[in-house]
Amino acid sequence: MRMTVIGTGYVGVVHAATMADLGHEVLGTDIDEERIAALSSGTPPVYEPGLQELLQRTVASGRLRFTTDVASAARFAPAHFVCVGTPQQPGAKRADVRSVEAVVDALAPHLGPGDLIVGKSTVPVGTAARLAERLRRTAPQAGLAWNPEFLREGFAVQDSAAPERIVVGVTSEHDEEVLRELYAPMLRVGVPFFRTDPSTAELVKVASNSFLATKISFINAMAEVCDAAGADVIMLAQAVGADSRIGPRFLQPGLGFGGSCFPKDIRGFMARAEELGVGGAVAFLDEVDAINTRQRTRTVELTGRLVGGSFADANVAVLGAAFKPDSDDVRDSPALAVAESIRRRGARVRVHDPEALDNARSAAPGLQYTLDVPKACEDADVVLHLTAWPEYRAIDPAALAPLVRRPTVVDARHTLDADRWREAGWSLHAPGRPQPGE
Ligand code: UGA
């Protein structure tokens, strides 16, 4: 089938390439000309494992093309996936849906009977209904559905090709049929398909992200209690997670969540619930947010104690800038926030990251950056392990020790081999875990 994808951020590009790989003829559009030029030659706009290969394969097949002309895209296909961003409004918790509205307005005059707009962007519940009303004025015979996206950065290609579920919020049999046909190869291999109304589909997305964020903040709250009680949050998480009703995933304590989704989605959800008069029902998300932010402050405070109470003249090495491993995304990155906060307090901070340095440099130009781990750690008074890149686990602590001023490391992600670092002479601090001898 023919389809378009409007907005070529990480969701849009991955969706477009995945659908072309399934055999559809896909036209991707974006207002960013440079991005469209790069995509047309098979270069992805973001670092995402497997994406470059997938993009090159589908562009070479001729089934995936890109344009900046939304009007020609509108005429190209009967189904249009909207994948534009919905950022948090500055100074408010609410999501900004103006880009989604603009896309619907741009498509509407070109749509005919049976044509379908499918929203993928994360939006406040009720947006689809409002947009459908707007669409009825210019394109009364076109449909509007909501089909949230659950892919994770770092696993986007595999999540998109083999999703755990497909959720479609539709208002007609016809619209459901179009989506069933587009996803037919996935449905044939048994991917669960949930047909709902558009409001439920919109809510599935924010409810899922809220649940996951709550699970992370729950275990981080337990880490704080463990610190106060001299208990071990890693053992606690393993034993609690062994209950199959709870499960071990998203129960990893550490520096907390970041990225472009969880923080903004839980805030947007609270704002929308308040508008609906049910703010109290999700007021706990404020606490989830506060616990999450506190993990950053706790790490800064711990670092302050480890450098003797004053950051002036301290050298701090930071391992990791991305909000999580296998991503070059630094949006609301806990690692970068900690690094910046320490720099503002007067320390010299040198940051290493294998993929995110370009993005980090433009987001936080005051920090020093290097692509070399030993260089980042040279003369450091403390080394902070803030993003769980696998290569940090492979660091030889014995080889690193002679380079630093003091062999002190904070493992804020709990993925370093603590025994190995301690045997190599390091003082290793892991929030939520007792120090040996405590
Ligand atoms: C998240 C969801 O997992 C996706 O399902 C959703 O589609 C996406 O948001 C979105 O709304 O677009 P993503 O932000 O890529 O995906 O990242 P996750 O892997 O979910 O991690 C989010 C954050 O939580 C990261 O900062 C990660 O380090 C942190 N985290 C995760 C923990 O601190 N502990 C854990 O146990 C798990």
Side-chain angles (χ1 to χ4, degrees):
M1 286 170 75
R2 282 182 164 205
M3 54 170 270
T4 75
V5 172
I6 295 146
T8 55
Y10 95 102
V11 170
V13 172
V14 174
H15 182 57
T18 301
M19 296 305 268
D21 215 28
L22 291 181
H24 299 303
E25 251 192 84
V26 183
L27 186 59
T29 83
D30 202 294
I31 48 174
D32 183 336
E33 288 179 16
E34 248 176 71
R35 177 172 290 203
I36 288 298
L39 283 167
S40 302
S41 63
T43 308
V46 290
Y47 169 76
E48 190 61 47
L51 181 56
Q52 177 136 19
E53 295 83 338
L54 174 65
L55 195 61
Q56 283 173 353
R57 179 166 78 237
T58 44
V59 168
S61 74
R63 287 195 306 277
L64 177 58
R65 290 180 300 114
F66 294 94
T67 175
T68 51
D69 180 8
V70 72
S72 69
R75 289 186 293 266
F76 172 79
H80 307 281
F81 287 87
V82 182
C83 302
V84 294
T86 49
Q88 190 177 335
Q89 280 178 16
K93 283 182 175 167
R94 193 180 293 125
D96 179 349
V97 296
R98 279 176 303 177
S99 300
V100 179
E101 289 166 358
V103 169
V104 171
D105 289 346
L107 289 171
H110 310 281
L111 300 182
D115 285 351
L116 180 62
I117 295 180
V118 188
K120 267 200 171 296
S121 309
T122 303
V123 291
V125 58
T127 304
R130 203 164 44 75
L131 291 172
E133 189 52 48
R134 200 174 168 119
L135 189 63
R136 262 193 288 279
R137 282 181 238 141
T138 20
Q141 288 159 308
L144 191 129
W146 221 263
N147 168 220
E149 185 56 70
F150 303 104
L151 51 81
R152 300 161 294 170
E153 291 190 33
F155 298 90
V157 170
Q158 83 191 50
D159 284 354
S160 183
E164 287 187 340
R165 81 283 214 193
I166 295 170
V167 177
V168 299
V170 291
T171 51
S172 78
E173 299 302 318
H174 168 269
D175 297 351
E176 178 184 351
E177 228 14 77
V178 171
L179 284 159
R180 277 189 180 278
E181 263 183 63
L182 281 162
Y183 288 120
M186 293 175 185
L187 302 184
R188 272 199 296 276
V189 295
V191 175
F193 183 88
F194 295 89
R195 178 203 162 146
T196 69
D197 56 90
S199 292
T200 304
E202 290 167 327
L203 272 177
V204 170
K205 169 67 186 215
V206 283
S208 299
N209 278 1
S210 295
F211 188 89
L212 293 169
T214 302
K215 209 173 169 191
I216 298 168
S217 276
F218 175 84
I219 201 63
N220 283 333
M222 293 305 109
E224 293 183 40
V225 176
C226 283
D227 266 341
D232 187 331
V233 72
I234 294 296
M235 291 180 145
L236 176 96
Q238 282 167 358
V240 169
D243 184 327
S244 63
R245 293 167 303 176
I246 298 172
R249 294 181 70 193
F250 273 71
L251 211 56
Q252 279 137 34
L255 200 48
F257 57 80
S260 64
C261 302
F262 284 179
K264 123 179 133 66
D265 288 355
I266 61 172
R267 291 170 199 153
F269 194 14
M270 284 186 273
R272 184 62 186 136
E274 273 160 32
E275 283 170 7
L276 292 169
V278 286
V282 295
F284 69 94
L285 291 175
D286 231 347
E287 202 53 48
V288 166
D289 203 5
I291 294 167
N292 192 53
T293 309
R294 206 154 62 224
Q295 305 319 307
R296 303 174 186 193
T297 355
R298 270 163 46 88
T299 305
V300 174
E301 285 163 5
L302 169 63
T303 310
R305 289 196 294 279
L306 293 174
V307 296
S310 160
F311 284 105
D313 300 323
N315 289 340
V316 177
V318 167
L319 301 181
F323 85 103
K324 66 173 191 179
D326 282 320
S327 165
D328 66 353
D329 197 341
V330 299
R331 285 175 291 176
D332 206 343
S333 162
L336 209 55
V338 167
E340 259 296 87
S341 166
I342 289 174
R343 182 194 66 80
R344 279 199 303 273
R345 285 169 168 73
R348 190 174 62 92
V349 184
R350 218 183 262 156
V351 182
H352 172 275
D353 192 285
E355 294 294 340
L357 286 197
D358 287 348
N359 289 338
R361 217 176 260 120
S362 34
L367 296 164
Q368 296 181 24
Y369 295 100
T370 172
L371 262 175
D372 185 49
V373 172
K375 199 154 191 305
C377 297
E378 228 167 58
D379 293 328
D381 294 291
V382 57
V383 174
L384 306 182
H385 174 242
L386 303 185
T387 307
W389 283 98
E391 65 190 83
Y392 297 148
R393 261 187 80 80
I395 291 174
D396 177 1
L400 205 59
L403 303 178
V404 297
R405 206 140 72 178
R406 276 189 290 173
T408 303
V409 60
V410 174
D411 183 11
R413 291 295 183 182
H414 302 290
T415 52
L416 300 180
D417 182 341
D419 291 343
R420 191 162 167 241
W421 282 72
R422 288 187 176 128
E423 276 157 23
W426 288 78
S427 162
L428 181 140
H429 301 257
R433 306 199 78 180
Q435 286 296 103
E438 248 180 26

